[in-house]
Amino acid sequence: MARKWALRSILAYLLLGLFLYVYLFFLADSTLPETYKGSSADPATFMNNKEILLSEDFSKIKNLLFFLSTPYEWLFYFLILIFGVSRVFEKWARGTVKNGFLQTAIFLFWLSISSFVAIFPLQYISYKISKSYHISTQTFSMWMKDEITDFWVNYLLMFIIVSVLYALMKRFKQRWWLAAWALSVPFTIFMMFVQPVLIDPLYNDFYPLKDKALEEQILSLADRADIPADHVFEVDMSEKTNSLNAYVTGVGSNSRIVLWDTTLEKLTDKEILFVMAHEMAHYVEKHIYIGIGIYLVLSFFGLFLTAKLMRGIVANHSDDLKVSKVSNLSSLPLFLMITSMLLFTISPLSNWISRYQETRADRYAIEMTGDKESAISSFQKLSKVGLSQVNPPLLVKIFRYGHPTMLERLSMLEEYEAEKKKE
């Protein structure tokens, strides 16, 4: 039975991969509508022919990898369940130590190592593609260092989460999901608070912005936006990527304004001020707190559904999955598979909300700076340097884009200018 289900699941995954390949490389339409030909949104106005071709090829490959990676994760969890690997990990843990927390640590270590090894080929392919298209500038050793750091950070966080989660499952057999949801609220806020000062520095070096004249202009914008910031931080990303980015991170006293050094190198001061005004808009319009509120609602229903599905699946397929009880550690792959599926299912909604907030931030930035030319040129450079499609296919936009497409962002600026002329 296990072999039959394994073959079926692998075949389903391969058929999905074939469909996605045909869709992305042959059926999906990413051509620019005639209306926008010759406008600021037309790639031909800010890219040469080679760059346009590279952006199309790179985007198709990265989109394919994105759509393959999540179902691949589901396949991995399913296979280690039906072949009894998860149950073996649990037996090893129980046979090694008697302490429950140490059993969790051992079980999670073997599960994490297995997951790392299984997913590593896709991660490596993604790295090599980014490297070949000159997006990534990392050496293999630097990339591996980040991968290993990522492994241990995720392992420690997962150890905390899984230890608490399965303790709740044992204590509250029917309502564990409600207790888990209640505890997730302060934990999420705490993680947002410590992320800038404890986790981010593990990956990159942060230091005060060297250009003090530019820092003064950015802080002046922050003052106008009532953002309590005394410094702007620069992060050394040029050793890892050619991409551009800037952001406002953290909550409360740990809020930080951060610029990648690649952004400082490739954008003018006026373009940087527009980008920073956009990031400040998220603070001004309380998008972080709105995001927390949305998370609370979605996680409430998500955990409820996860508990209901786990209970039903284990009750009806315990022999097939080699899991006798929901509260057994061996059920963790089932929990992770279900939550991953639910997150993927609601990603169109969460991405739509994010795109709406990003559009609001774009509009706020243009109103604050009044500099349409710098806004347009900054978006064009972001698209050019990142080799991103100006008008991605609909399926890609729905599932991948937390920001408006470059076509939408640039056309919004044109429409804004037309509105101002009418006033």
Side-chain angles (χ1 to χ4, degrees):
M1 179 64 76
R3 185 176 295 178
K4 182 174 72 174
W5 280 107
L7 289 173
R8 286 178 178 177
S9 59
I10 292 170
L11 179 61
Y13 178 75
L14 293 174
L15 289 174
L16 174 65
L18 179 61
F19 164 76
L20 291 168
Y21 175 77
V22 172
Y23 171 77
L24 292 170
F25 284 83
F26 299 102
L27 300 179
D29 183 16
S30 60
T31 57
L32 194 73
E34 284 294 327
T35 312
Y36 297 99
K37 292 289 177 65
S39 70
S40 60
D42 186 351
T45 63
F46 59 91
M47 291 187 194
N48 58 42
N49 289 334
K50 182 181 177 182
E51 289 169 336
I52 293 172
L53 289 173
L54 286 174
S55 68
E56 286 295 318
D57 291 343
F58 178 72
S59 296
K60 287 175 182 176
I61 297 170
K62 293 294 283 187
N63 290 335
L64 179 62
L65 285 173
F66 167 81
F67 282 114
L68 288 177
S69 61
T70 302
Y72 183 79
E73 181 184 352
W74 305 339
L75 179 63
F76 165 75
Y77 290 135
F78 181 67
L79 291 179
I80 68 168
L81 281 167
I82 63 173
F83 282 120
V85 178
S86 185
R87 185 168 64 180
V88 169
F89 289 163
E90 184 177 27
K91 285 183 177 179
W92 286 354
R94 287 181 173 178
T96 305
V97 292
K98 292 183 178 180
N99 181 274
F101 286 107
L102 291 178
Q103 288 176 2
T104 301
I106 293 170
F107 173 86
L108 188 60
F109 176 77
W110 287 115
L111 180 63
S112 300
I113 284 288
S114 302
S115 177
F116 181 86
V117 171
I119 296 170
F120 183 82
L122 283 179
Q123 297 285 86
Y124 180 70
I125 290 169
S126 180
Y127 160 71
K128 289 297 288 185
I129 289 168
S130 294
K131 186 82 171 175
S132 63
Y133 280 86
H134 304 292
I135 301 297
S136 173
T137 58
Q138 280 186 299
T139 62
F140 177 75
S141 60
M142 287 179 62
W143 177 75
M144 275 304 301
K145 180 185 175 184
D146 278 354
E147 290 292 301
I148 293 169
T149 302
D150 216 32
F151 173 86
W152 285 111
V153 168
N154 289 332
Y155 174 77
L156 291 172
L157 290 176
M158 281 297 293
F159 172 68
I160 296 169
I161 293 167
V162 172
S163 297
V164 173
L165 181 67
Y166 277 79
L168 294 174
M169 285 180 178
K170 288 179 174 66
R171 182 162 184 178
F172 308 103
K173 296 187 184 300
Q174 299 297 320
R175 293 286 184 267
W176 60 264
W177 63 271
L178 187 59
W181 175 77
L183 289 176
S184 73
V185 178
F187 180 76
T188 301
I189 295 172
F190 172 75
M191 288 306 301
M192 292 177 68
F193 185 79
V194 302
Q195 177 91 24
V197 293
L198 291 182
I199 297 177
D200 289 348
L202 296 174
Y203 298 89
N204 301 104
D205 294 325
F206 291 79
Y207 39 86
L209 184 62
K210 297 171 187 174
D211 188 337
K212 295 305 175 184
L214 177 60
E215 182 182 47
E216 188 176 336
Q217 294 180 71
I218 293 171
L219 291 176
S220 177
L221 275 182
D223 185 57
R224 285 168 57 192
D226 292 325
I227 296 177
D230 298 321
H231 299 286
V232 178
F233 288 87
E234 184 177 337
V235 56
D236 183 10
M237 288 296 294
S238 55
E239 292 184 349
K240 296 184 177 182
T241 182
N242 283 315
S243 296
L244 313 179
N245 197 17
Y247 55 90
V248 177
T249 187
V251 291
S253 60
N254 276 7
S255 295
R256 279 187 173 187
I257 300 172
V258 180
L259 278 162
W260 287 10
D261 62 341
T262 50
T263 304
L264 293 165
E265 291 167 9
K266 294 172 184 176
L267 296 188
T268 66
D269 285 1
K270 287 185 177 181
E271 290 166 346
I272 290 170
L273 289 175
F274 172 80
V275 171
M276 294 312 302
H278 166 98
E279 297 302 331
M280 291 173 190
H282 293 305
Y283 181 94
V284 172
E285 300 209 349
K286 312 296 182 187
H287 289 166
I288 291 175
Y289 301 103
I290 292 170
I292 292 173
I294 293 170
Y295 161 79
L296 293 179
V297 173
L298 294 178
S299 62
F300 178 88
F301 290 105
L303 282 168
F304 168 74
L305 285 172
T306 300
K308 193 174 183 64
L309 289 169
M310 285 185 73
R311 190 160 54 243
I313 292 170
V314 171
N316 294 299
H317 301 282
S318 61
D319 291 337
D320 296 328
L321 299 178
K322 315 295 189 296
V323 177
S324 57
K325 292 192 298 184
V326 169
S327 58
N328 285 357
L329 280 171
S330 54
S331 73
L332 180 59
L334 179 61
F335 175 85
L336 295 173
M337 184 174 69
I338 292 172
T339 53
S340 178
M341 287 178 169
L342 291 176
L343 284 170
F344 187 78
T345 301
I346 65 164
S347 61
L349 172 62
S350 57
N351 284 339
W352 179 82
I353 294 170
S354 177
R355 288 196 299 271
Y356 172 76
Q357 291 180 336
E358 295 295 337
T359 300
R360 294 274 304 174
D362 285 347
R363 195 168 185 89
Y364 177 92
I366 190 63
E367 287 173 352
M368 176 175 260
T369 62
D371 190 351
K372 176 194 165 187
E373 289 72 24
S374 295
I376 289 173
S377 59
S378 64
F379 284 145
Q380 289 175 338
K381 288 180 182 178
L382 283 167
S383 184
K384 182 176 179 176
V385 172
L387 293 180
S388 57
Q389 290 173 307
V390 171
N391 186 33
L394 181 61
L395 198 62
V396 174
K397 174 186 169 181
I398 290 172
F399 282 96
R400 280 208 74 184
Y401 274 58
H403 288 72
T405 66
M406 282 301 172
L407 175 61
E408 292 169 337
R409 302 182 93 166
L410 289 165
S411 59
M412 183 277 290
L413 292 173
E414 298 287 356
E415 290 165 8
Y416 175 82
E417 185 70 13
E419 289 173 12
K420 295 298 285 184
K421 288 179 180 178
K422 288 180 182 178
E423 293 177 358

